[in-house]
Amino acid sequence: MTRASARRRTAQGRRPLILVLPAVCGLAFLLLPLAGLLLRAPWRSVPDRLFSTEVGQALRLSLVCASLATVLCLGLGIPLAWLLARGEIPGLGFVRALVTVPLVLPPVVGGVALLLVLGRRGIIGRHLNEWFGVSLPFTTAGVVVAEAFVAMPFLVISVEGALRGADPRYEEAAATLGASRWLTFRRVTLPSVMPGVIAGAVLCWARALGEFGATITFAGNFPGKTTTMPLAVYLALETDPEDAIVLSLVLLFVSVVVLAALRDRWTRGVV
Amino acid sequence: MIRSLSAVALTGAVAWTMVGCGSDKSSDPAPTDKVSGTVTVFAAASLTETFTELGKQFEAAHPGVKVVYSFGASSALAEQIKQGAPVDVFASAAPKNMQQVVDAGDITAKPVMFVRNRLEIAVPKGNPGHVTGLADFGKTEPKIALCAEQVPCGAAAKTVFEVAGVTPQPDTREADVKAVLTKVTLGEVDAALVYRTDVKAAGDKVEGIDFPEADKAINDYPVAPLAKAPNAAAAAAFVEFVRSDQAHTVFTKAGFDNP
């Protein structure tokens, strides 16, 4: 590793200052707000604030919902990524663009869109309510749906990229040896793109954990049922900004751990 | 995390600017001196319609002035002001949030109560949940939306429930009164407690039901110019204008009471 980095250094020669300065500014721009949170955190009262029932409730709910949303995204997202990467349907590029819409859609708009489709009077939600008595808004299931809607594109893009980079000859070899398509996918394709799946799942989970707009719009805000950490932060700001900072630190800590776990992938630029 | 913080900054920051449409009412207040430039107003979500209308009239009365708004929960707006947002005028839905800003030293003038508002039960058109009064809020069947207790409409709701002896069973506690109203408009909840003005503003999609306990939680709205207002002259003129007869015509039409 050290020899490689030494070789890299000699190859690069002198760094152009014209790039270094904005690079440092960019880094400061990204890191200073986080440093501000750390500096302004009421460290002395952190334990008391963290171990209140509301915070515990919100944190537990956040972790559970983000994990369930990730499972939902894996179940639906991997097949979708496979279709986008391997499918031979006209207009696939357009479908790929559509899949990324939730990435750029303002989350609150995403929440309203979900209400219009899955709400009590929504296009599909109306029938869910009439036939099965199921109503998603204001339930924990609604939180999972809102988070999955916003986070799924991360997983799909990541897995699709890995599938495109995978060597199709292994799949062909498996097929010539008599493996069915399903067996080939399970035993050859999926293991070869596993790093992409894991990276996508982690990103997807982190995005679901921080989801605010779609959640509060679609699932509402009720402690223990739909109040996730970001919602708790938002409401804590109304009364006690210090509480909000402490809650934010928890989310920040989680993000840092997740990104540290992903570090190798970032530097190799696979994600 | 950053998303949720920026969401705070953004929920209130749906500021839209208006083009003055000439109205030659002769009753406009005499401006103390020539005002110009932009006047930035932070106002409670429940003032969205009336202040937007007043902004047009104010711009018509003072050519060359542009009124820019940020509407949101009074508590969030007060917090943004304490964090140094460059604001000229603050209009809050509760004296408490105004007091926070006064205590922080950002307002030195004496805030003036300019309107009052009362709570009303809002139900979707046709009243699908067959809600008749406050007692229904204590039952589990109807879906109920309330304001979070941290914001003025939630605090007022808490008071009326205490007076009525009802323990509410809400399905959601929204961050500001317009979010609650949206849930009613979309028919996602059977009933909600919002201000009478919100029911009026929602037009025919929402029906309002008055209830006697509302008298016990009248909301007074204070307004004041900021001590460090970037445009002090316009701030003073706008506060003056909000208290004028012309403005009160707008408020009364929207369902506000005079203080």
Side-chain angles (χ1 to χ4, degrees), chain A residues 88-223:
Chain A
E88 283 159 7
I89 314 161
L92 214 54
F94 182 64
V95 176
R96 188 177 303 120
L98 284 182
V99 165
T100 55
V101 163
L103 281 181
V104 291
L105 201 67
V108 175
V109 177
V112 172
L114 284 170
L115 274 179
L116 296 178
V117 175
L118 295 169
R120 231 169 30 153
R121 292 189 180 178
I123 302 162
I124 299 171
R126 187 183 312 150
H127 303 300
L128 286 178
N129 202 15
E130 278 170 17
W131 298 337
F132 312 110
V134 175
S135 156
L136 281 175
F138 319 126
T139 62
T140 308
V143 178
V144 174
V145 168
E147 289 180 349
F149 175 76
V150 175
M152 193 145 88
F154 284 92
L155 181 92
V156 174
I157 289 171
S158 175
V159 176
E160 195 220 359
L163 280 168
R164 285 176 172 276
D167 194 337
R169 282 177 303 180
Y170 293 116
E171 291 171 30
E172 285 156 19
T176 53
L177 292 170
S180 69
R181 280 184 176 187
W182 172 230
L183 187 73
T184 307
F185 176 77
R186 247 183 19 204
R187 304 293 300 271
V188 179
T189 317
L190 204 53
S192 70
V193 296
M194 217 24 148
V197 172
I198 292 170
V202 172
L203 269 181
C204 173
W205 185 82
R207 179 65 189 83
L209 193 74
E211 216 304 309
F212 169 81
T215 310
I216 199 166
T217 310
F218 181 65
N221 169 52
F222 191 78

Side-chain angles (χ1 to χ4, degrees), chain B:
Chain B
M1 172 225 48
I2 298 175
R3 295 196 33 74
S4 42
L5 286 182
S6 66
V8 174
L10 284 176
T11 31
V14 186
W16 54 99
T17 47
M18 297 292 153
V19 185
C21 50
S23 75
D24 43 5
K25 278 250 179 76
S26 53
S27 62
D28 57 79
T32 39
D33 48 19
K34 196 82 185 79
V35 295
S36 61
T38 304
V39 54
T40 309
V41 180
F42 271 27
S46 44
L47 294 166
T48 306
E49 293 82 8
T50 47
F51 265 45
T52 305
E53 174 66 22
L54 289 182
K56 286 184 199 170
Q57 296 185 2
F58 187 76
E59 284 170 353
H62 305 275
V65 173
K66 201 168 184 157
V67 187
V68 179
Y69 290 111
S70 177
F71 294 108
S74 307
S75 36
L77 297 175
E79 190 53 42
Q80 289 168 11
I81 292 173
K82 287 197 298 191
Q83 297 295 345
V87 187
D88 295 302
V89 176
F90 179 38
S92 159
K96 188 186 96 175
N97 305 109
M98 182 59 83
Q99 195 55 47
Q100 289 169 347
V101 180
V102 171
D103 291 343
D106 293 310
I107 284 181
T108 44
K110 192 174 174 345
V112 197
M113 304 298 168
F114 64 104
V115 282
R116 322 187 88 172
N117 209 346
R118 59 172 56 233
L119 291 175
E120 204 171 44
I121 296 171
V123 297
K125 190 179 175 181
N127 196 353
H130 310 296
V131 172
T132 52
L134 266 196
D136 291 306
F137 284 73
K139 298 174 187 162
T140 45
E141 310 87 57
K143 284 219 182 288
I144 304 288
L146 295 173
C147 287
E149 287 181 357
Q150 292 91 328
V151 298
C153 54
K158 193 175 174 214
T159 308
V160 299
F161 283 124
E162 275 166 9
V163 170
V166 173
T167 310
Q169 306 276 349
D171 293 273
T172 178
R173 289 189 167 277
E174 299 290 328
D176 74 43
V177 69
K178 291 296 176 195
V180 175
L181 191 68
T182 304
K183 297 282 190 286
V184 181
T185 315
L186 289 172
E188 290 300 332
V189 294
D190 299 311
L193 272 193
V194 294
Y195 297 118
R196 197 166 66 178
T197 51
D198 297 309
V199 174
K200 271 202 163 174
D204 58 357
K205 289 181 187 153
V206 172
E207 295 171 18
I209 302 168
D210 276 313
F211 59 97
E213 291 86 355
D215 295 346
K216 296 289 184 293
I218 299 281
N219 257 38
D220 281 318
Y221 286 56
V223 63
L226 273 287
K228 292 200 183 90
N231 191 348
F238 189 84
V239 171
E240 188 79 20
F241 180 72
V242 165
R243 302 174 61 202
S244 67
D245 291 345
Q246 186 184 341
H248 266 286
T249 314
V250 174
F251 287 129
T252 313
K253 204 171 77 189
F256 282 103
D257 299 323
N258 282 340

Side-chain angles (χ1 to χ4, degrees), chain A residues 13-62:
Chain A
R14 283 172 46 235
R15 293 177 182 77
L17 253 181
I18 200 159
L19 286 181
V20 172
L21 196 62
V24 171
C25 287
L27 191 66
F29 171 64
L30 290 176
L31 293 184
L32 280 177
L34 309 184
L37 272 181
L38 292 173
L39 287 172
R40 281 293 176 87
W43 291 108
R44 242 179 244 147
S45 58
V46 162
D48 300 345
R49 290 177 198 268
L50 270 189
F51 295 112
S52 71
T53 44
E54 292 87 11
V55 175
Q57 239 178 11
L59 185 58
R60 211 171 26 248
L61 190 72
S62 270

